[in-house]
Amino acid sequence: LNIEKKVIEEYSVHGQGIDQDPKGILSINRNGSVYVHGKVDYEQYRRLRINFSKENTRYVVDIDILDVNDHTPVFNRDVYESAVDESTQQ
């Protein structure tokens, strides 16, 4: 995150992925680097919201989750062969 260092050091950080479900997925160090410690289910969480707060000031960072095919195709054989007659319609 490109945030002033004092925001990271002086503000409390909480939200989804940190102390709210899905807990423990994200962490942020003092330099603003965000670390991801696990997978996030796209069907359940399409966006994670992190809050930086101090007294009456609050910053919000939204992290959009991208969908990855978590149901990879499974084939019974390595190679499938078939023959198609030349006169077959497309």
Side-chain angles (χ1 to χ4, degrees):
L1 299 173
N2 191 11
I3 297 177
E4 291 181 31
K5 190 172 182 178
K6 77 173 192 170
V7 170
I8 299 290
E9 292 176 353
E10 297 177 7
Y11 286 61
S12 71
V13 180
H14 52 91
Q16 292 175 303
I18 297 173
D19 59 356
Q20 296 173 7
D21 287 335
K23 293 180 183 176
I25 296 293
L26 303 174
S27 65
I28 302 172
N29 71 8
R30 295 284 182 208
N31 295 322
S33 296
V34 177
Y35 294 93
V36 180
H37 304 288
K39 296 180 180 182
V40 176
D41 185 1
Y42 176 79
E43 281 74 26
Q44 193 171 5
Y45 300 98
R46 296 186 184 227
R47 174 176 290 154
L48 299 180
R49 177 164 281 181
I50 300 173
N51 299 293
F52 296 86
S53 58
K54 177 183 173 185
E55 298 170 8
N56 294 328
T57 305
R58 183 174 144 192
Y59 295 103
V60 175
V61 176
D62 287 332
I63 299 174
D64 291 330
I65 306 300
L66 301 178
D67 190 19
V68 175
N69 186 0
D70 53 355
H71 301 288
T72 57
V74 176
F75 297 97
N76 296 326
R77 300 186 316 218
D78 290 337
V79 176
Y80 287 84
E81 292 183 24
S82 65
V84 179
D85 188 53
E86 183 178 351
S87 62
T88 303
Q89 293 184 0
Q90 290 187 357

